[in-house]
Structure formats: structure tokens, C-alpha cells
Amino acid sequence: MEPLTNWAGNITFGARRVLRPRSLDEARELITAATKLRVLGSGHSFNRLADTDGDLLSLAGLPRTVEIAPDRRTVRVDGGIRYGDLATRLHAEGLALHNMASLPHISVAGAVATATHGSGVGNGNLATAVAAVEIIRADGELVTVSRGDTDFPGSVAALGALGAVVALTLDVQPAFELRQYVYENLPAASVRSDLPAILADGYSVSLFTRWTSADVDQVWLKRLDPMTAPTFHGATLADGPRHPVPGMPTGNCTQQGGVPGPWHERLPHFRMEFTPSSGEELQSEFHVPLDRAGDAIDAVAQVRERVAAVLQVSEVRTIAADDLWLSPNHERDSLALHFTWIADTEAVLPVVADVEKVLAPLGARPHLGKIFTSAPELPRAAEFSALVQRFDPTAKFRNDFLDRLLS
Ligand SMILES: Cc1cc2nc3c(=O)[nH]c(=O)nc-3n(C[C@H](O)[C@H](O)[C@H](O)COP(=O)(O)OP(=O)(O)OC[C@H]3O[C@@H](n4cnc5c(N)ncnc54)[C@H](O)[C@@H]3O)c2cc1C
């Protein structure tokens, strides 16, 4: 058997085998019979979060479910479905999700489990769209936890620690169109003076920089309204399509140039049919309070040369506050500083530690699906540990990663 790795190839899973149930009953039987088990989504995380020395369980083979509620405010989906497939189905029904990540390739349950996010000061992370989760617990029982239940804030972005999420109910809204614009060379002086206005000037705004200078290389604006100006806070409208990583094919990216298009073909940066991002990379991301955005950029600038030496590109985004216990956006509007590193773990890890050191005074919280080196302070760790203990008293779904995180 080929060794099983994550998408990035930096993690070889220690699992004995991958179980691929075709029905809910089969999934329940496999979970009940297992002694150690982790659920694997689409494998896009960059650390050992999904790893186990027991069995991996993939829900990709369960029947696809997309059930729109009669009031058209929610949709119930199976845990293995990918955002790209769900989005196409929703759009065909005239419906939309509030946001998407940079790529549509990831599974809904896997993305929600790590509080994956897109951008936009008014947009919560993807887990905030969840209205209910249906979980097969370690004892094989299927339980539903809904918004309003006491356990709900701990059960959504739950890192697979409570059991296998076989279905989720998500909030939806009427479909909408967006226009995507890329502006280049945002001067450092504008970043310093106008940052809150820049980050709020669109439904979703991303800044891309390689930290080679204090200027920002690209500003990606996903807007409901058209832009008419050729400049944006001193940046210049790009004269053609761009990829965030210099030199990568622009055809892999969603359409730019202000052409109006469906929400799901503008919110992600990358198209479903192509390799997202650079394809050979590691990623880290740290969330700080939005009102410390300028300080966070100044802090990373202190280690700019070390960062730039092992970086492909960095992305700066915003996420609205939520009440989910493990969310990096727990009770604070956030700025996320994301790093697409070169695919060289040994060279990258010391620089991740440098970034953590300069961001620690700002209360930075890591994206739990990416690479970090310091033990993070989880917002509601004690409550979450108690919940895990109740759902999984025999530690069936635990692994070394969770043991370290919750110790
Ligand atoms: C190219 C690239 C771009 C990315 N862009 C973004 C981005 O824009 N924003 C962002 O926030 N993140 C981003 N990420 C990170 C990614 O969204 C997260 O790592 C996400 O968790 C991956 O989802 P997955 O389905 O691959 O989950 P996996 O990596 O397979 O699993 C993640 C966790 O979810 C658990 N899990 C998966 N499925 C289930 C289930 N059915 N039931 C219970 N637990 C489950 C696993 O046990 C594990 O703990 C990116 C990653 C890549 C590779």
C-alpha cells in the first residue's frame, strides 16, 4: 500500500488502514468496533491533527446529501461533501453561503472542524454558518447538537475530537454576484494610515505580500459594487489576471477584472478544477485582534528578512468575531496573517517560531489546521476538554496532537 499523506505531502499518516463506509449504518458499526480512530476530511491540513496510529475513517463514500429546508434558510449536507460541489448545487437553487475559503476543494466537515475562514470584516469563519451538527459518538450513538444547545459552541469547530460529523445544517442566503479586482503595489504609507478603511472596502478583502518591502504586492477586493477608480489608496489596478504567488499560472485563479459573477466563482481565490495555491508548500496562520492590525504588521516586519527567505507569499485577511470555543476568532474581530512557506519543514519551522515570538504579545492564536510550534492558549480549553471527556470517555478519537493541545 502507498503511504497515505496529507495534500501537502509533509505528513505521512501513521494509520493502519483507511475505512471507507458506504452508508451511515456501516460508519456506526466501524466506529463502535474501533479502539482508536480519526476522521479524515480531504486531507488539506498541514499538521498531525487528523493523524492516528489506529484507523482513519473517510466519509467521502457516503451518499451526497444536499437538502434545502422548505423556508430556504438552511441546507443539510453530508460531512464528506466538498465546498465546491455544495456551492454549485446551492447556486443552481438560487442560494449562497456567506463565505468560502481561498480554495473550494476542502470538505465541509473538515473545514468547519478547524474554523476555516475566508475574508471580510463582516464575515464570520465558515463554522459560524453551522446551525446543527450530527455526530456519531465513540459509542456509535448518533447525536444532533443544534444552535442554542449548551454544547453547541464547543461542538462545531471541534477538531474531530467529539466523533464523526456525518451531517451539518448550514445557514444559506439568496445567491448574489460579486466582482473581483486586483490592485498592485499598495504603498506602505497607505497601509500605515488607511488600513482599517482598506480592509473594510469590499465584501472580502485580502492583502498579499512577500515581505520583501514595506509595500503590499497585491490587494484583492471582492465587491458587491463596481470599482471605477484606476487606483486604490495609491495601488494601481492590475492590467490582467494575477496569481497571488509570483510566477504561478493565473488560469488557476478565479476571474478578476471586475467581471460580475456568481458568489462561488469569486469568493475562493482558486478554481476547483486546478491546483490551489502553489501546490508545493507549507502554511501557517496567526489571528490577532483586528484593532491590533497595524501593530501585527509592524511586528512581522521586524523579522521580515527571515520570513521572506522561506516564503512564497503572505496573505492578510479579516474575520468577524464568534462564540465558538476553539475558534481563533472567539469573541474578537480578527486579522489573520497567513504564510505560504516553501515546502521545506526544516527551514520553515525556526521562522514560524520567530513569527510566533513577535506576535505573542498581541495574543496571537494559530489556525489549528496549519503549522505552529508553540502550545497555543485555546480560548475555552477547560470547557472543551470536559465536553470531549463526555462525548469520548475512552479517548477513541484522541491522538498525540489533541493530547498536547488539551493538556
Ligand atoms: C491550498 C490550501 C489553501 C487553504 N486555504 C485556507 C483558507 O483560505 N482559509 C483557512 O482557514 N484555511 C485554509 N486552508 C486550511 C484548510 O482549510 C483546513 O486545514 C481544513 O481543515 C481542511 O479541511 P479538510 O477537509 O481537508 O480536513 P482534514 O485536514 O482532512 O481534517 C481536519 C480536521 O477535521 C477533522 N475532520 C475532518 N472531517 C471530519 C468529519 N466528518 N467529522 C469529524 N471530524 C472531521 C479531522 O479529524 C481533522 O481534525 C487551506 C489549505 C490548503 C491546502
Side-chain angles (χ1 to χ4, degrees):
M1 189 181 92
E2 283 279 299
L4 182 72
T5 69
N6 63 342
W7 174 86
N10 65 313
I11 301 291
T12 299
F13 294 117
R16 292 175 306 193
R17 56 190 176 160
V18 185
L19 307 172
R20 302 180 192 278
R22 312 293 298 180
S23 71
L24 207 56
D25 283 344
E26 193 187 348
R28 289 177 69 167
E29 280 163 26
L30 289 169
I31 291 168
T32 311
T35 44
K36 277 279 173 201
L37 182 110
R38 291 289 287 160
V39 187
L40 183 64
S42 52
H44 283 82
S45 294
F46 289 87
N47 57 35
R48 295 207 166 272
L49 176 58
D51 198 16
T52 177
D53 53 10
D55 296 327
L56 276 173
L57 180 79
S58 166
L59 302 179
L62 288 190
R64 290 287 82 85
T65 305
V66 179
E67 294 167 3
I68 295 164
D71 66 3
R72 293 171 57 79
R73 286 166 185 262
T74 56
V75 63
R76 182 174 171 271
V77 303
D78 63 284
I81 196 169
R82 293 177 186 241
Y83 273 101
D85 298 325
L86 170 61
T88 313
R89 300 271 291 269
L90 283 177
H91 190 69
E93 298 288 338
L95 293 172
L97 298 166
H98 79 291
N99 210 357
M100 292 180 75
S102 69
L103 76 175
H105 308 65
I106 47 180
S107 81
V108 172
V112 162
T114 63
T116 286
H117 60 91
S119 190
V121 287
N123 298 324
N125 65 46
L126 303 187
T128 63
V130 175
V133 276
E134 296 169 46
I135 307 174
I136 302 181
R137 282 190 322 215
D139 60 4
E141 277 301 302
L142 179 62
V143 294
T144 301
V145 189
S146 303
R147 199 179 270 146
D149 295 348
T150 315
D151 290 341
F152 184 76
S155 304
V156 183
L159 307 177
L162 303 182
V165 174
V166 287
L168 306 96
T169 302
L170 306 176
D171 295 336
V172 290
Q173 61 188 70
F176 56 99
E177 285 202 330
L178 286 171
R179 298 161 188 261
Q180 180 161 248
Y181 300 88
V182 176
Y183 286 81
E184 294 182 298
N185 303 319
L186 179 71
S190 299
V191 177
R192 186 158 292 279
S193 57
D194 306 343
L195 190 58
I198 292 168
L199 294 170
D201 204 349
Y203 188 84
S204 163
V205 178
S206 291
L207 310 182
F208 287 97
T209 179
R210 284 168 292 157
W211 297 101
T212 45
S213 88
D215 294 347
V216 164
D217 301 330
Q218 298 176 2
V219 183
W220 287 44
L221 298 167
K222 301 171 195 276
R223 290 177 54 99
L224 296 164
D225 306 322
M227 299 282 282
T228 46
T231 59
F232 177 79
H233 296 269
T236 316
L237 192 60
D239 60 4
R242 296 288 186 268
H243 191 293
V245 182
M248 295 302 296
T250 57
N252 294 9
C253 295
T254 48
Q255 188 159 20
Q256 302 156 31
V259 180
W263 57 279
H264 66 295
E265 294 180 4
R266 297 294 180 275
L267 285 172
H269 305 325
F270 305 108
R271 294 181 203 252
M272 184 76 165
E273 320 77 82
F274 295 99
T275 301
S277 197
S278 89
E280 281 193 30
E281 65 197 69
L282 301 172
Q283 293 186 10
S284 304
E285 187 166 48
F286 300 96
H287 295 240
V288 298
L290 183 57
D291 58 11
R292 305 298 303 273
D295 297 334
I297 289 173
D298 287 347
V300 177
Q302 287 171 33
V303 287
R304 166 183 296 143
E305 281 173 18
R306 284 179 55 74
V307 167
V310 291
L311 187 76
Q312 301 194 52
V313 78
S314 213
E315 181 176 6
V316 176
R317 291 193 275 187
T318 56
I319 306 101
D322 60 56
D323 64 352
L324 304 175
W325 291 351
L326 292 198
S327 163
N329 318 114
H330 182 74
E331 292 184 351
R332 65 188 205 194
D333 291 333
S334 306
L335 182 89
L337 293 137
H338 158 95
F339 302 85
T340 300
W341 307 111
I342 59 170
D344 181 343
T345 304
E346 213 176 305
V348 164
L349 283 184
V351 185
V352 175
D354 289 342
V355 171
E356 286 170 340
K357 199 167 164 199
V358 294
L359 290 178
L362 303 175
R365 297 171 179 160
H367 187 311
L368 296 174
K370 300 189 180 181
I371 291 174
F372 53 93
T373 69
S374 312
E377 272 184 39
L378 301 178
R380 303 283 288 269
E383 288 98 324
F384 185 69
S385 293
L387 183 65
V388 171
Q389 180 61 28
R390 244 190 314 120
F391 267 68
D392 184 18
T394 61
K396 193 177 276 192
F397 290 100
R398 290 288 279 261
N399 62 6
D400 291 347
F401 186 99
L402 287 175
D403 285 345
R404 272 198 303 277
L405 201 64
L406 299 177
S407 62

